[in-house]
Amino acid sequence: MTVGLVGRDATTAAFFDGAAAGQFLIRRCSPAGHASRPQVRQCSTCGSTELRWVPASGGARLVSWAVVPGRRGGEDDAPGPSIVVVVGELDEGPWWWSQIVGADPGSLAEGQRLRIGFEGAEGGEVVPVFEVA
Amino acid sequence: MPANLDRRPVIAGLGMTELGQVYGRSAASFAAEAVRLAVADAGCTLGDVDGLLTSNGSSGGVGLGLQRDLDLHDLKLLSEMHGYGSTAGAMVQVASMAVQAGMAEMVACVFADAPLRPGRSAGDVYSGPRAGTGRAERRIPTGWGGLLAATGVSGANTLYALAARRHMLRYGTTTEDFGAIAVAQRAWAATNPLAQMREPLTLADHQASRWIVEPFHLLDCCLVSNGGIAVIVTSEARARSLAQPPVHVLGWAQSHPGRLFDRDENFGLVTGAAQSGPAALGMAGVTLAEVDVAELYDCYTYTVLVSLEDYGFCEKGEGGAFVSGGALGPDGKLKCNTGGGQLSSYYMWGMTPLSEAVIQVRGQGGARQADPHDVVLVSGNGGILDHHATLVLGTGPP
Ligand SMILES: [Zn+2]
């Protein structure tokens, strides 16, 4: 299992509905169509509180990454698998933070093309991850 | 500068409890002891204290109740403040303004924390929940934080590692550069009786230490400590009849970037010190070249490096060359983190650089005393590069 469990609440429900349908939803303001991160409560550019959920293209570029070693703690005290956490800049502008799956951290480079993928964990919501494009 | 020179703010007392792996005591108990020690250090009594500012670490438990614990009556200023690692500096700023304005005469500012327990690793205190470890059945997390944590994005180590990597990618900063900071600060710590880690450290030791979150080795990361530290802020006039050499609060500023995390975001590259530094120096009426000692917040080696750039001790992007060229350490040209900092000495958030700065301005640093020590810069950094507080302290008004 690469991702952990997360449940929905009022502020994240629409986002998780999108993820379950294979879409990464961001916010766009109604007045001007500026793109903002999913978490915002007002448009990052103009401050409008009239926000719509819209699907992002899913394309991104790599901004930064970090390798989190697997923790010990299983029955045989063996370390779990490492994960690689990245910051990606969506093609629409907003940053998103998630783990990248299926990538060798030694091969990563700043600006590298990424795409959003989705992973689900039994009993939790589907969550966005990054993949090498 | 205020019109009434007698009301210029001065740090007149410093109280430090035993720090480190000190078990069996609450943060509130450390906080009360730190205030008692600070009052005694200043040469006054708890009855003289008419202002109290408190701040918590990760364990909580330090708040308005401290007034009752210390039997402080008729306070004219009482508040709990919170800006993570910037809080200590921010408390001194608020206390200074209260003293200047005549609102209070003697303000105690205290931080205490007790996150360490026997058998609990330091890493567990700050690493946050971890994706994929569904050991015991817990309530499923929700919210945006829960979503990020589910994909492994949580904990200060991971978030600062992402910031540090960005600096490395943009400017060519290396893990050896970070190591130079760890080595330099350990050399200072070797001469500090308060330091938890005093055995010599080499760059090879740094490189061989395990990854916490790559690009951070273990020796890039601060300690975790139990304990408490307090300072007493009073007026220049009142300080004349007290016990310690006055530590003048010459300038101060804060910066809270409020990042958008969108295209052109400078996360990892620039911190709030770039704004709070020049502003605080300007208020103090001194230039960076007049700073004798710099006490910089060092939750990680990287934080020191980026702060050195932002304050202007070197050009942006040249922090790596600056520190690896031997600028730091007891023999370096910049006296920086002279007590060993949070990497090697003790982890009391913003009180670590502040307490060492007070010791240095007073000239009480013993074997590690810097000379000259007329102007000391203190940097506090909180959150994930979210909050910055700068103080300029000195032996006298300029
Ligand atoms: Zn807008």
Side-chain angles (χ1 to χ4, degrees):
Chain A
M1 185 163 66
T2 54
V3 299
L5 296 181
V6 58
R8 62 177 53 208
D9 60 16
T11 58
T12 57
F15 182 85
F16 284 126
D17 284 342
Q23 290 187 326
F24 187 95
L25 299 182
I26 58 173
R27 312 306 297 272
R28 280 196 188 276
C29 72
S30 296
H34 302 125
S36 296
R37 293 173 290 144
Q39 306 97 310
V40 301
R41 296 174 184 275
Q42 61 176 48
C43 173
S44 296
T45 303
C46 71
S48 170
T49 54
E50 294 176 41
L51 299 173
R52 295 174 287 126
W53 288 106
V54 297
S57 68
R61 63 171 200 91
L62 180 57
V63 173
S64 188
W65 69 92
V67 184
V68 185
R71 276 191 190 166
R72 293 184 180 276
E75 287 200 357
D76 52 357
D77 203 35
S82 296
I83 62 168
V84 183
V85 170
V86 311
V87 179
E89 183 176 288
L90 304 177
D91 289 345
E92 291 80 5
W95 284 17
W96 188 251
W97 314 57
S98 186
Q99 68 178 271
I100 186 166
V101 296
D104 168 14
S107 70
L108 296 176
E110 185 181 16
Q112 181 173 353
R113 292 295 304 166
L114 306 176
R115 67 168 176 259
I116 293 278
F118 296 92
E119 297 256 338
E122 181 79 31
E125 298 288 346
V126 172
V127 298
V129 294
F130 283 107
E131 301 166 349
V132 174
Chain B
M1 276 293 131
N4 184 347
L5 300 184
D6 277 350
R7 294 222 62 83
R8 289 189 293 201
V10 163
I11 297 175
L14 171 65
M16 304 171 68
T17 70
E18 190 182 356
L19 303 167
Q21 291 170 338
V22 188
Y23 299 129
R25 295 182 55 185
S26 67
S29 138
F30 283 120
E33 185 192 350
V35 173
R36 289 189 196 100
L37 289 169
V39 164
D41 176 72
C44 59
T45 70
L46 280 174
D48 295 321
V49 171
D50 63 357
L52 177 65
L53 298 173
T54 70
S55 70
N56 273 305
S58 61
S59 68
V62 183
L64 304 182
L66 189 58
Q67 177 185 20
R68 188 183 57 242
D69 294 349
L70 289 167
D71 284 330
L72 300 175
H73 304 295
D74 298 324
L75 292 179
K76 296 165 178 167
L77 173 67
L78 173 64
S79 193
E80 181 179 340
M81 292 184 60
H82 195 30
Y84 300 97
S86 73
T87 319
M91 287 193 297
V92 170
Q93 296 175 7
V94 169
S96 294
M97 289 186 284
V99 165
Q100 275 190 350
M103 180 184 178
E105 189 62 39
M106 192 164 290
V107 183
C109 307
V110 61
F111 167 91
D113 200 9
L116 288 176
R117 293 195 294 274
R120 186 188 188 197
S121 84
D124 287 343
V125 176
Y126 284 91
S127 55
R130 170 68 198 278
T133 52
R135 226 164 53 103
E137 203 51 55
R138 302 189 195 102
R139 201 167 59 85
I140 297 178
T142 59
W144 297 111
L147 167 55
L148 292 171
T151 59
V153 184
S154 75
N157 291 335
T158 298
L159 297 171
Y160 270 97
L162 289 165
R165 172 87 67 186
R166 187 145 193 253
H167 198 281
M168 298 167 83
L169 293 167
R170 180 65 54 91
Y171 300 121
T173 310
T174 66
T175 175
E176 288 83 2
D177 297 335
F178 296 147
I181 293 168
V183 169
Q185 292 195 195
R186 182 62 63 85
W188 278 115
T191 61
N192 183 359
L194 300 170
Q196 288 175 230
M197 308 288 276
R198 277 177 274 174
E199 60 279 18
L201 183 68
T202 66
L203 188 57
D205 295 332
H206 170 273
Q207 291 292 296
S209 67
R210 66 187 167 90
W211 293 118
I212 296 300
V213 175
E214 193 183 338
F216 287 151
H217 290 278
L218 173 67
L219 293 174
D220 286 308
C221 305
C222 62
L223 306 164
V224 177
S225 309
N226 288 355
I229 298 181
V231 295
I232 305 292
V233 178
T234 189
S235 65
E236 188 173 328
R238 182 73 176 87
R240 288 190 199 111
S241 62
L242 295 177
Q244 295 289 347
V247 175
H248 292 260
V249 187
L250 302 174
W252 58 85
Q254 297 181 25
S255 174
H256 308 268
R259 302 176 189 285
L260 291 176
F261 294 111
D262 208 312
R263 215 182 302 280
D264 301 324
E265 171 59 63
N266 67 14
F267 174 75
L269 307 178
V270 181
T271 76
Q275 294 186 44
S276 67
L281 290 165
M283 184 189 290
V286 299
T287 66
L288 194 68
E290 293 173 271
V291 171
D292 299 313
V293 181
E295 305 293 352
L296 306 180
Y297 198 88
D298 57 335
C299 43
Y300 302 92
T301 51
Y302 151 78
T303 326
V304 176
L305 189 146
V306 71
S307 300
L308 286 166
E309 295 176 348
D310 290 334
Y311 281 110
F313 290 107
C314 61
E315 294 296 315
K316 178 50 68 182
E318 294 180 4
F322 184 72
V323 300
S324 63
L328 307 185
D331 300 323
K333 65 182 183 223
L334 178 64
K335 305 307 177 196
C336 177
N337 291 354
T338 49
Q342 307 190 94
L343 297 172
S344 283
S345 191
Y346 48 88
Y347 182 60
M348 286 284 111
W349 296 24
M351 279 294 181
T352 299
L354 175 61
S355 57
E356 178 65 14
V358 169
I359 291 167
Q360 288 288 331
V361 172
R362 289 175 173 182
Q364 296 173 346
R368 69 184 191 282
Q369 178 63 47
D371 191 41
H373 51 90
D374 292 322
V375 179
V376 178
L377 182 88
V378 187
S379 181
N381 162 60
I384 312 300
L385 307 172
D386 293 313
H387 309 290
H388 230 97
T390 299
L391 297 174
V392 180
L393 306 181
T395 49

